[in-house]
PDB file of all heavy atoms in Angstrom:
ATOM      1  N   GLY A 250      15.996 139.274 107.746  1.00  0.00           N
ATOM      2  CA  GLY A 250      16.604 140.546 108.102  1.00  0.00           C
ATOM      3  C   GLY A 250      16.305 141.011 109.507  1.00  0.00           C
ATOM      4  O   GLY A 250      16.856 142.025 109.957  1.00  0.00           O
ATOM      5  N   ALA A 251      15.453 140.281 110.239  1.00  0.00           N
ATOM      6  CA  ALA A 251      15.127 140.704 111.604  1.00  0.00           C
ATOM      7  C   ALA A 251      16.365 140.682 112.496  1.00  0.00           C
ATOM      8  O   ALA A 251      16.602 141.599 113.289  1.00  0.00           O
ATOM      9  CB  ALA A 251      14.041 139.804 112.186  1.00  0.00           C
ATOM     10  N   GLY A 252      17.176 139.622 112.377  1.00  0.00           N
ATOM     11  CA  GLY A 252      18.385 139.542 113.188  1.00  0.00           C
ATOM     12  C   GLY A 252      19.393 140.612 112.828  1.00  0.00           C
ATOM     13  O   GLY A 252      20.130 141.103 113.698  1.00  0.00           O
ATOM     14  N   ASP A 253      19.433 140.999 111.556  1.00  0.00           N
ATOM     15  CA  ASP A 253      20.324 142.077 111.150  1.00  0.00           C
ATOM     16  C   ASP A 253      19.867 143.397 111.762  1.00  0.00           C
ATOM     17  O   ASP A 253      20.687 144.219 112.190  1.00  0.00           O
ATOM     18  CB  ASP A 253      20.354 142.188 109.628  1.00  0.00           C
ATOM     19  CG  ASP A 253      20.744 140.875 108.965  1.00  0.00           C
ATOM     20  OD1 ASP A 253      21.502 140.093 109.586  1.00  0.00           O
ATOM     21  OD2 ASP A 253      20.279 140.615 107.834  1.00  0.00           O
ATOM     22  N   GLY A 254      18.554 143.607 111.789  1.00  0.00           N
ATOM     23  CA  GLY A 254      18.027 144.798 112.447  1.00  0.00           C
ATOM     24  C   GLY A 254      18.384 144.825 113.918  1.00  0.00           C
ATOM     25  O   GLY A 254      18.723 145.879 114.479  1.00  0.00           O
ATOM     26  N   PHE A 255      18.320 143.654 114.567  1.00  0.00           N
ATOM     27  CA  PHE A 255      18.707 143.560 115.975  1.00  0.00           C
ATOM     28  C   PHE A 255      20.157 144.010 116.142  1.00  0.00           C
ATOM     29  O   PHE A 255      20.479 144.790 117.055  1.00  0.00           O
ATOM     30  CB  PHE A 255      18.537 142.118 116.446  1.00  0.00           C
ATOM     31  CG  PHE A 255      18.785 141.913 117.920  1.00  0.00           C
ATOM     32  CD1 PHE A 255      17.733 141.990 118.826  1.00  0.00           C
ATOM     33  CD2 PHE A 255      20.059 141.641 118.396  1.00  0.00           C
ATOM     34  CE1 PHE A 255      17.960 141.795 120.189  1.00  0.00           C
ATOM     35  CE2 PHE A 255      20.290 141.449 119.748  1.00  0.00           C
ATOM     36  CZ  PHE A 255      19.238 141.526 120.650  1.00  0.00           C
ATOM     37  N   ALA A 256      21.034 143.544 115.264  1.00  0.00           N
ATOM     38  CA  ALA A 256      22.446 143.926 115.355  1.00  0.00           C
ATOM     39  C   ALA A 256      22.627 145.426 115.163  1.00  0.00           C
ATOM     40  O   ALA A 256      23.439 146.066 115.855  1.00  0.00           O
ATOM     41  CB  ALA A 256      23.259 143.152 114.324  1.00  0.00           C
ATOM     42  N   VAL A 257      21.880 146.017 114.235  1.00  0.00           N
ATOM     43  CA  VAL A 257      21.956 147.465 114.020  1.00  0.00           C
ATOM     44  C   VAL A 257      21.617 148.216 115.300  1.00  0.00           C
ATOM     45  O   VAL A 257      22.317 149.161 115.700  1.00  0.00           O
ATOM     46  CB  VAL A 257      20.999 147.888 112.885  1.00  0.00           C
ATOM     47  CG1 VAL A 257      20.864 149.414 112.824  1.00  0.00           C
ATOM     48  CG2 VAL A 257      21.483 147.347 111.550  1.00  0.00           C
ATOM     49  N   GLY A 258      20.530 147.802 115.957  1.00  0.00           N
ATOM     50  CA  GLY A 258      20.146 148.466 117.200  1.00  0.00           C
ATOM     51  C   GLY A 258      21.182 148.315 118.289  1.00  0.00           C
ATOM     52  O   GLY A 258      21.523 149.289 118.997  1.00  0.00           O
ATOM     53  N   MET A 259      21.712 147.102 118.457  1.00  0.00           N
ATOM     54  CA  MET A 259      22.715 146.854 119.495  1.00  0.00           C
ATOM     55  C   MET A 259      23.963 147.694 119.272  1.00  0.00           C
ATOM     56  O   MET A 259      24.431 148.408 120.166  1.00  0.00           O
ATOM     57  CB  MET A 259      23.098 145.370 119.506  1.00  0.00           C
ATOM     58  CG  MET A 259      22.075 144.432 120.072  1.00  0.00           C
ATOM     59  SD  MET A 259      21.750 144.660 121.847  1.00  0.00           S
ATOM     60  CE  MET A 259      23.387 144.576 122.529  1.00  0.00           C
ATOM     61  N   ILE A 260      24.529 147.579 118.079  1.00  0.00           N
ATOM     62  CA  ILE A 260      25.811 148.238 117.806  1.00  0.00           C
ATOM     63  C   ILE A 260      25.682 149.746 117.901  1.00  0.00           C
ATOM     64  O   ILE A 260      26.521 150.424 118.525  1.00  0.00           O
ATOM     65  CB  ILE A 260      26.327 147.822 116.421  1.00  0.00           C
ATOM     66  CG1 ILE A 260      26.625 146.320 116.391  1.00  0.00           C
ATOM     67  CG2 ILE A 260      27.577 148.610 116.043  1.00  0.00           C
ATOM     68  CD1 ILE A 260      26.779 145.747 115.002  1.00  0.00           C
ATOM     69  N   SER A 261      24.623 150.305 117.294  1.00  0.00           N
ATOM     70  CA  SER A 261      24.466 151.762 117.311  1.00  0.00           C
ATOM     71  C   SER A 261      24.329 152.285 118.735  1.00  0.00           C
ATOM     72  O   SER A 261      24.949 153.296 119.105  1.00  0.00           O
ATOM     73  CB  SER A 261      23.252 152.170 116.474  1.00  0.00           C
ATOM     74  OG  SER A 261      22.043 151.636 117.007  1.00  0.00           O
ATOM     75  N   ALA A 262      23.545 151.601 119.553  1.00  0.00           N
ATOM     76  CA  ALA A 262      23.342 152.066 120.923  1.00  0.00           C
ATOM     77  C   ALA A 262      24.614 151.936 121.758  1.00  0.00           C
ATOM     78  O   ALA A 262      24.959 152.840 122.541  1.00  0.00           O
ATOM     79  CB  ALA A 262      22.203 151.288 121.569  1.00  0.00           C
ATOM     80  N   LEU A 263      25.319 150.845 121.612  1.00  0.00           N
ATOM     81  CA  LEU A 263      26.538 150.657 122.400  1.00  0.00           C
ATOM     82  C   LEU A 263      27.624 151.645 121.988  1.00  0.00           C
ATOM     83  O   LEU A 263      28.376 152.139 122.847  1.00  0.00           O
ATOM     84  CB  LEU A 263      27.036 149.217 122.259  1.00  0.00           C
ATOM     85  CG  LEU A 263      26.145 148.157 122.919  1.00  0.00           C
ATOM     86  CD1 LEU A 263      26.618 146.755 122.564  1.00  0.00           C
ATOM     87  CD2 LEU A 263      26.107 148.339 124.437  1.00  0.00           C
ATOM     88  N   LEU A 264      27.722 151.963 120.707  1.00  0.00           N
ATOM     89  CA  LEU A 264      28.703 152.960 120.271  1.00  0.00           C
ATOM     90  C   LEU A 264      28.328 154.362 120.730  1.00  0.00           C
ATOM     91  O   LEU A 264      29.180 155.257 120.757  1.00  0.00           O
ATOM     92  CB  LEU A 264      28.851 152.926 118.753  1.00  0.00           C
ATOM     93  CG  LEU A 264      29.502 151.657 118.175  1.00  0.00           C
ATOM     94  CD1 LEU A 264      29.619 151.755 116.661  1.00  0.00           C
ATOM     95  CD2 LEU A 264      30.876 151.402 118.799  1.00  0.00           C
ATOM     96  N   GLU A 265      27.061 154.541 121.088  1.00  0.00           N
ATOM     97  CA  GLU A 265      26.616 155.821 121.647  1.00  0.00           C
ATOM     98  C   GLU A 265      26.623 155.798 123.170  1.00  0.00           C
ATOM     99  O   GLU A 265      26.056 156.679 123.818  1.00  0.00           O
ATOM    100  CB  GLU A 265      25.219 156.144 121.120  1.00  0.00           C
ATOM    101  CG  GLU A 265      25.199 156.426 119.627  1.00  0.00           C
ATOM    102  CD  GLU A 265      23.799 156.406 119.026  1.00  0.00           C
ATOM    103  OE1 GLU A 265      22.815 156.320 119.805  1.00  0.00           O
ATOM    104  OE2 GLU A 265      23.684 156.462 117.794  1.00  0.00           O
ATOM    105  N   ASN A 266      27.247 154.765 123.736  1.00  0.00           N
ATOM    106  CA  ASN A 266      27.469 154.644 125.187  1.00  0.00           C
ATOM    107  C   ASN A 266      26.192 154.405 125.987  1.00  0.00           C
ATOM    108  O   ASN A 266      26.127 154.744 127.172  1.00  0.00           O
ATOM    109  CB  ASN A 266      28.208 155.879 125.731  1.00  0.00           C
ATOM    110  CG  ASN A 266      29.581 156.035 125.106  1.00  0.00           C
ATOM    111  OD1 ASN A 266      30.334 155.073 124.990  1.00  0.00           O
ATOM    112  ND2 ASN A 266      29.907 157.253 124.699  1.00  0.00           N
ATOM    113  N   HIS A 267      25.177 153.803 125.375  1.00  0.00           N
ATOM    114  CA  HIS A 267      24.010 153.373 126.129  1.00  0.00           C
ATOM    115  C   HIS A 267      24.360 152.113 126.917  1.00  0.00           C
ATOM    116  O   HIS A 267      25.308 151.393 126.592  1.00  0.00           O
ATOM    117  CB  HIS A 267      22.843 153.073 125.186  1.00  0.00           C
ATOM    118  CG  HIS A 267      22.259 154.297 124.541  1.00  0.00           C
ATOM    119  ND1 HIS A 267      21.237 155.025 125.107  1.00  0.00           N
ATOM    120  CD2 HIS A 267      22.563 154.926 123.382  1.00  0.00           C
ATOM    121  CE1 HIS A 267      20.934 156.042 124.318  1.00  0.00           C
ATOM    122  NE2 HIS A 267      21.731 156.001 123.262  1.00  0.00           N
ATOM    123  N   SER A 268      23.589 151.826 127.938  1.00  0.00           N
ATOM    124  CA  SER A 268      23.787 150.591 128.686  1.00  0.00           C
ATOM    125  C   SER A 268      23.436 149.402 127.815  1.00  0.00           C
ATOM    126  O   SER A 268      22.723 149.537 126.808  1.00  0.00           O
ATOM    127  CB  SER A 268      22.908 150.586 129.943  1.00  0.00           C
ATOM    128  OG  SER A 268      21.533 150.456 129.579  1.00  0.00           O
ATOM    129  N   PHE A 269      23.909 148.218 128.213  1.00  0.00           N
ATOM    130  CA  PHE A 269      23.610 147.042 127.420  1.00  0.00           C
ATOM    131  C   PHE A 269      22.114 146.759 127.415  1.00  0.00           C
ATOM    132  O   PHE A 269      21.550 146.380 126.392  1.00  0.00           O
ATOM    133  CB  PHE A 269      24.387 145.826 127.943  1.00  0.00           C
ATOM    134  CG  PHE A 269      24.679 144.805 126.885  1.00  0.00           C
ATOM    135  CD1 PHE A 269      25.694 145.018 125.959  1.00  0.00           C
ATOM    136  CD2 PHE A 269      23.943 143.643 126.794  1.00  0.00           C
ATOM    137  CE1 PHE A 269      25.955 144.085 124.964  1.00  0.00           C
ATOM    138  CE2 PHE A 269      24.202 142.708 125.810  1.00  0.00           C
ATOM    139  CZ  PHE A 269      25.217 142.928 124.887  1.00  0.00           C
ATOM    140  N   ALA A 270      21.462 146.960 128.546  1.00  0.00           N
ATOM    141  CA  ALA A 270      20.014 146.734 128.619  1.00  0.00           C
ATOM    142  C   ALA A 270      19.267 147.668 127.667  1.00  0.00           C
ATOM    143  O   ALA A 270      18.344 147.250 126.958  1.00  0.00           O
ATOM    144  CB  ALA A 270      19.522 146.923 130.046  1.00  0.00           C
ATOM    145  N   ASP A 271      19.656 148.939 127.638  1.00  0.00           N
ATOM    146  CA  ASP A 271      18.995 149.883 126.740  1.00  0.00           C
ATOM    147  C   ASP A 271      19.320 149.574 125.280  1.00  0.00           C
ATOM    148  O   ASP A 271      18.492 149.794 124.392  1.00  0.00           O
ATOM    149  CB  ASP A 271      19.418 151.317 127.078  1.00  0.00           C
ATOM    150  CG  ASP A 271      18.739 151.843 128.334  1.00  0.00           C
ATOM    151  OD1 ASP A 271      17.726 151.246 128.748  1.00  0.00           O
ATOM    152  OD2 ASP A 271      19.219 152.838 128.902  1.00  0.00           O
ATOM    153  N   ALA A 272      20.527 149.063 125.039  1.00  0.00           N
ATOM    154  CA  ALA A 272      20.883 148.675 123.672  1.00  0.00           C
ATOM    155  C   ALA A 272      19.990 147.538 123.184  1.00  0.00           C
ATOM    156  O   ALA A 272      19.572 147.509 122.016  1.00  0.00           O
ATOM    157  CB  ALA A 272      22.352 148.273 123.611  1.00  0.00           C
ATOM    158  N   VAL A 273      19.678 146.597 124.067  1.00  0.00           N
ATOM    159  CA  VAL A 273      18.796 145.492 123.688  1.00  0.00           C
ATOM    160  C   VAL A 273      17.391 146.012 123.380  1.00  0.00           C
ATOM    161  O   VAL A 273      16.721 145.529 122.452  1.00  0.00           O
ATOM    162  CB  VAL A 273      18.755 144.416 124.788  1.00  0.00           C
ATOM    163  CG1 VAL A 273      17.737 143.335 124.452  1.00  0.00           C
ATOM    164  CG2 VAL A 273      20.128 143.793 124.965  1.00  0.00           C
ATOM    165  N   LYS A 274      16.939 146.998 124.126  1.00  0.00           N
ATOM    166  CA  LYS A 274      15.623 147.586 123.845  1.00  0.00           C
ATOM    167  C   LYS A 274      15.587 148.178 122.435  1.00  0.00           C
ATOM    168  O   LYS A 274      14.632 147.977 121.681  1.00  0.00           O
ATOM    169  CB  LYS A 274      15.297 148.660 124.885  1.00  0.00           C
ATOM    170  CG  LYS A 274      15.093 148.126 126.288  1.00  0.00           C
ATOM    171  CD  LYS A 274      14.907 149.256 127.291  1.00  0.00           C
ATOM    172  CE  LYS A 274      14.777 148.707 128.705  1.00  0.00           C
ATOM    173  NZ  LYS A 274      14.677 149.780 129.724  1.00  0.00           N
ATOM    174  N   ARG A 275      16.639 148.925 122.098  1.00  0.00           N
ATOM    175  CA  ARG A 275      16.689 149.490 120.749  1.00  0.00           C
ATOM    176  C   ARG A 275      16.784 148.372 119.713  1.00  0.00           C
ATOM    177  O   ARG A 275      16.149 148.437 118.656  1.00  0.00           O
ATOM    178  CB  ARG A 275      17.867 150.449 120.594  1.00  0.00           C
ATOM    179  CG  ARG A 275      17.922 151.086 119.202  1.00  0.00           C
ATOM    180  CD  ARG A 275      19.169 151.900 118.961  1.00  0.00           C
ATOM    181  NE  ARG A 275      19.202 153.132 119.744  1.00  0.00           N
ATOM    182  CZ  ARG A 275      20.144 154.067 119.595  1.00  0.00           C
ATOM    183  NH1 ARG A 275      21.119 153.887 118.689  1.00  0.00           N
ATOM    184  NH2 ARG A 275      20.132 155.159 120.331  1.00  0.00           N
ATOM    185  N   ALA A 276      17.576 147.354 120.008  1.00  0.00           N
ATOM    186  CA  ALA A 276      17.749 146.244 119.078  1.00  0.00           C
ATOM    187  C   ALA A 276      16.423 145.546 118.798  1.00  0.00           C
ATOM    188  O   ALA A 276      16.099 145.220 117.644  1.00  0.00           O
ATOM    189  CB  ALA A 276      18.766 145.249 119.635  1.00  0.00           C
ATOM    190  N   ASN A 277      15.653 145.294 119.849  1.00  0.00           N
ATOM    191  CA  ASN A 277      14.344 144.667 119.665  1.00  0.00           C
ATOM    192  C   ASN A 277      13.445 145.525 118.780  1.00  0.00           C
ATOM    193  O   ASN A 277      12.709 145.016 117.929  1.00  0.00           O
ATOM    194  CB  ASN A 277      13.668 144.441 121.017  1.00  0.00           C
ATOM    195  CG  ASN A 277      14.197 143.231 121.750  1.00  0.00           C
ATOM    196  OD1 ASN A 277      14.913 142.402 121.193  1.00  0.00           O
ATOM    197  ND2 ASN A 277      13.853 143.120 123.023  1.00  0.00           N
ATOM    198  N   TRP A 278      13.496 146.842 119.002  1.00  0.00           N
ATOM    199  CA  TRP A 278      12.641 147.728 118.221  1.00  0.00           C
ATOM    200  C   TRP A 278      13.035 147.734 116.752  1.00  0.00           C
ATOM    201  O   TRP A 278      12.188 147.623 115.868  1.00  0.00           O
ATOM    202  CB  TRP A 278      12.685 149.157 118.771  1.00  0.00           C
ATOM    203  CG  TRP A 278      11.858 150.086 117.922  1.00  0.00           C
ATOM    204  CD1 TRP A 278      10.494 150.178 117.894  1.00  0.00           C
ATOM    205  CD2 TRP A 278      12.345 150.984 116.930  1.00  0.00           C
ATOM    206  NE1 TRP A 278      10.102 151.100 116.949  1.00  0.00           N
ATOM    207  CE2 TRP A 278      11.214 151.609 116.347  1.00  0.00           C
ATOM    208  CE3 TRP A 278      13.618 151.335 116.493  1.00  0.00           C
ATOM    209  CZ2 TRP A 278      11.338 152.559 115.339  1.00  0.00           C
ATOM    210  CZ3 TRP A 278      13.740 152.283 115.488  1.00  0.00           C
ATOM    211  CH2 TRP A 278      12.602 152.887 114.924  1.00  0.00           C
ATOM    212  N   VAL A 279      14.335 147.849 116.462  1.00  0.00           N
ATOM    213  CA  VAL A 279      14.770 147.863 115.067  1.00  0.00           C
ATOM    214  C   VAL A 279      14.421 146.525 114.404  1.00  0.00           C
ATOM    215  O   VAL A 279      13.961 146.483 113.266  1.00  0.00           O
ATOM    216  CB  VAL A 279      16.272 148.152 114.944  1.00  0.00           C
ATOM    217  CG1 VAL A 279      16.701 148.115 113.472  1.00  0.00           C
ATOM    218  CG2 VAL A 279      16.609 149.517 115.547  1.00  0.00           C
ATOM    219  N   GLY A 280      14.608 145.427 115.127  1.00  0.00           N
ATOM    220  CA  GLY A 280      14.246 144.124 114.582  1.00  0.00           C
ATOM    221  C   GLY A 280      12.766 144.022 114.284  1.00  0.00           C
ATOM    222  O   GLY A 280      12.363 143.463 113.258  1.00  0.00           O
ATOM    223  N   SER A 281      11.939 144.578 115.171  1.00  0.00           N
ATOM    224  CA  SER A 281      10.485 144.534 114.950  1.00  0.00           C
ATOM    225  C   SER A 281      10.094 145.379 113.747  1.00  0.00           C
ATOM    226  O   SER A 281       9.152 145.055 113.013  1.00  0.00           O
ATOM    227  CB  SER A 281       9.745 145.034 116.201  1.00  0.00           C
ATOM    228  OG  SER A 281       9.850 146.441 116.339  1.00  0.00           O
ATOM    229  N   ARG A 282      10.801 146.448 113.519  1.00  0.00           N
ATOM    230  CA  ARG A 282      10.513 147.305 112.372  1.00  0.00           C
ATOM    231  C   ARG A 282      10.894 146.601 111.071  1.00  0.00           C
ATOM    232  O   ARG A 282      10.205 146.730 110.054  1.00  0.00           O
ATOM    233  CB  ARG A 282      11.274 148.623 112.504  1.00  0.00           C
ATOM    234  CG  ARG A 282      10.704 149.761 111.663  1.00  0.00           C
ATOM    235  CD  ARG A 282      11.489 151.035 111.911  1.00  0.00           C
ATOM    236  NE  ARG A 282      10.850 152.186 111.310  1.00  0.00           N
ATOM    237  CZ  ARG A 282      10.923 152.519 110.015  1.00  0.00           C
ATOM    238  NH1 ARG A 282      11.584 151.738 109.185  1.00  0.00           N
ATOM    239  NH2 ARG A 282      10.325 153.601 109.563  1.00  0.00           N
ATOM    240  N   ALA A 283      11.983 145.831 111.131  1.00  0.00           N
ATOM    241  CA  ALA A 283      12.453 145.141 109.928  1.00  0.00           C
ATOM    242  C   ALA A 283      11.438 144.134 109.416  1.00  0.00           C
ATOM    243  O   ALA A 283      11.278 143.967 108.197  1.00  0.00           O
ATOM    244  CB  ALA A 283      13.786 144.451 110.212  1.00  0.00           C
ATOM    245  N   VAL A 284      10.725 143.446 110.318  1.00  0.00           N
ATOM    246  CA  VAL A 284       9.805 142.390 109.874  1.00  0.00           C
ATOM    247  C   VAL A 284       8.496 142.955 109.328  1.00  0.00           C
ATOM    248  O   VAL A 284       7.681 142.211 108.791  1.00  0.00           O
ATOM    249  CB  VAL A 284       9.486 141.387 111.010  1.00  0.00           C
ATOM    250  CG1 VAL A 284      10.763 140.773 111.560  1.00  0.00           C
ATOM    251  CG2 VAL A 284       8.687 142.046 112.133  1.00  0.00           C
ATOM    252  N   GLN A 285       8.316 144.255 109.442  1.00  0.00           N
ATOM    253  CA  GLN A 285       7.082 144.860 108.951  1.00  0.00           C
ATOM    254  C   GLN A 285       7.208 145.405 107.530  1.00  0.00           C
ATOM    255  O   GLN A 285       6.266 146.009 107.008  1.00  0.00           O
ATOM    256  CB  GLN A 285       6.643 145.989 109.891  1.00  0.00           C
ATOM    257  CG  GLN A 285       6.294 145.495 111.283  1.00  0.00           C
ATOM    258  CD  GLN A 285       5.886 146.624 112.215  1.00  0.00           C
ATOM    259  OE1 GLN A 285       4.795 147.174 112.090  1.00  0.00           O
ATOM    260  NE2 GLN A 285       6.763 146.976 113.147  1.00  0.00           N
ATOM    261  N   SER A 286       8.378 145.174 106.906  1.00  0.00           N
ATOM    262  CA  SER A 286       8.599 145.645 105.542  1.00  0.00           C
ATOM    263  C   SER A 286       9.056 144.488 104.670  1.00  0.00           C
ATOM    264  O   SER A 286       9.771 143.592 105.132  1.00  0.00           O
ATOM    265  CB  SER A 286       9.667 146.750 105.518  1.00  0.00           C
ATOM    266  OG  SER A 286       9.240 147.884 106.231  1.00  0.00           O
ATOM    267  N   ARG A 287       8.661 144.512 103.417  1.00  0.00           N
ATOM    268  CA  ARG A 287       9.110 143.494 102.487  1.00  0.00           C
ATOM    269  C   ARG A 287      10.543 143.814 102.060  1.00  0.00           C
ATOM    270  O   ARG A 287      10.873 144.938 101.721  1.00  0.00           O
ATOM    271  CB  ARG A 287       8.193 143.452 101.266  1.00  0.00           C
ATOM    272  CG  ARG A 287       8.378 142.194 100.423  1.00  0.00           C
ATOM    273  CD  ARG A 287       7.327 142.141  99.319  1.00  0.00           C
ATOM    274  NE  ARG A 287       5.981 142.245  99.835  1.00  0.00           N
ATOM    275  CZ  ARG A 287       5.323 141.257 100.437  1.00  0.00           C
ATOM    276  NH1 ARG A 287       5.907 140.080 100.617  1.00  0.00           N
ATOM    277  NH2 ARG A 287       4.088 141.443 100.876  1.00  0.00           N
ATOM    278  N   GLY A 288      11.396 142.826 102.108  1.00  0.00           N
ATOM    279  CA  GLY A 288      12.797 143.049 101.765  1.00  0.00           C
ATOM    280  C   GLY A 288      13.680 142.851 102.973  1.00  0.00           C
ATOM    281  O   GLY A 288      13.236 142.931 104.124  1.00  0.00           O
ATOM    282  N   ASP A 289      14.967 142.601 102.727  1.00  0.00           N
ATOM    283  CA  ASP A 289      15.891 142.267 103.798  1.00  0.00           C
ATOM    284  C   ASP A 289      16.313 143.474 104.622  1.00  0.00           C
ATOM    285  O   ASP A 289      16.619 143.352 105.801  1.00  0.00           O
ATOM    286  CB  ASP A 289      17.144 141.599 103.219  1.00  0.00           C
ATOM    287  CG  ASP A 289      16.832 140.251 102.585  1.00  0.00           C
ATOM    288  OD1 ASP A 289      15.641 139.937 102.431  1.00  0.00           O
ATOM    289  OD2 ASP A 289      17.779 139.533 102.238  1.00  0.00           O
ATOM    290  N   MET A 290      16.387 144.655 104.000  1.00  0.00           N
ATOM    291  CA  MET A 290      16.880 145.827 104.740  1.00  0.00           C
ATOM    292  C   MET A 290      16.021 147.067 104.537  1.00  0.00           C
ATOM    293  O   MET A 290      16.319 148.123 105.075  1.00  0.00           O
ATOM    294  CB  MET A 290      18.339 146.127 104.347  1.00  0.00           C
ATOM    295  CG  MET A 290      18.610 146.277 102.867  1.00  0.00           C
ATOM    296  SD  MET A 290      18.105 147.891 102.199  1.00  0.00           S
ATOM    297  CE  MET A 290      18.712 147.798 100.525  1.00  0.00           C
ATOM    298  N   GLU A 291      14.931 146.939 103.757  1.00  0.00           N
ATOM    299  CA  GLU A 291      14.103 148.099 103.446  1.00  0.00           C
ATOM    300  C   GLU A 291      13.467 148.716 104.693  1.00  0.00           C
ATOM    301  O   GLU A 291      13.203 149.921 104.727  1.00  0.00           O
ATOM    302  CB  GLU A 291      13.023 147.708 102.436  1.00  0.00           C
ATOM    303  CG  GLU A 291      13.521 147.655 100.996  1.00  0.00           C
ATOM    304  CD  GLU A 291      14.431 146.472 100.697  1.00  0.00           C
ATOM    305  OE1 GLU A 291      14.582 145.582 101.564  1.00  0.00           O
ATOM    306  OE2 GLU A 291      15.001 146.425  99.593  1.00  0.00           O
ATOM    307  N   GLY A 292      13.210 147.919 105.735  1.00  0.00           N
ATOM    308  CA  GLY A 292      12.557 148.452 106.929  1.00  0.00           C
ATOM    309  C   GLY A 292      13.494 149.062 107.950  1.00  0.00           C
ATOM    310  O   GLY A 292      13.036 149.584 108.978  1.00  0.00           O
ATOM    311  N   LEU A 293      14.779 149.034 107.710  1.00  0.00           N
ATOM    312  CA  LEU A 293      15.727 149.602 108.667  1.00  0.00           C
ATOM    313  C   LEU A 293      15.543 151.117 108.721  1.00  0.00           C
ATOM    314  O   LEU A 293      15.502 151.777 107.687  1.00  0.00           O
ATOM    315  CB  LEU A 293      17.161 149.241 108.286  1.00  0.00           C
ATOM    316  CG  LEU A 293      17.462 147.737 108.301  1.00  0.00           C
ATOM    317  CD1 LEU A 293      18.864 147.473 107.774  1.00  0.00           C
ATOM    318  CD2 LEU A 293      17.305 147.169 109.715  1.00  0.00           C
TER     319      LEU A 293
END
């Protein structure tokens, strides 16, 4: 689910008109949060 979290961060930030670089920052953070919880989407 880490890659899915990355996609959540990217898409949400870009739809909110953030820059691509800032979207990647959010994507990395959401992905890092996902790997700290048991389950595929529980950490989102």
Side-chain angles (χ1 to χ4, degrees):
D253 304 330
F255 185 92
V257 169
M259 287 294 307
I260 296 164
S261 62
L263 291 172
L264 292 181
E265 293 166 8
N266 298 315
H267 290 271
S268 70
F269 208 77
D271 284 343
V273 175
K274 293 175 183 176
R275 182 187 290 187
N277 281 348
W278 177 75
V279 178
S281 74
R282 200 177 190 280
V284 303
Q285 296 179 73
S286 296
R287 195 173 305 283
D289 295 10
M290 53 78 174
E291 280 72 8
L293 298 174

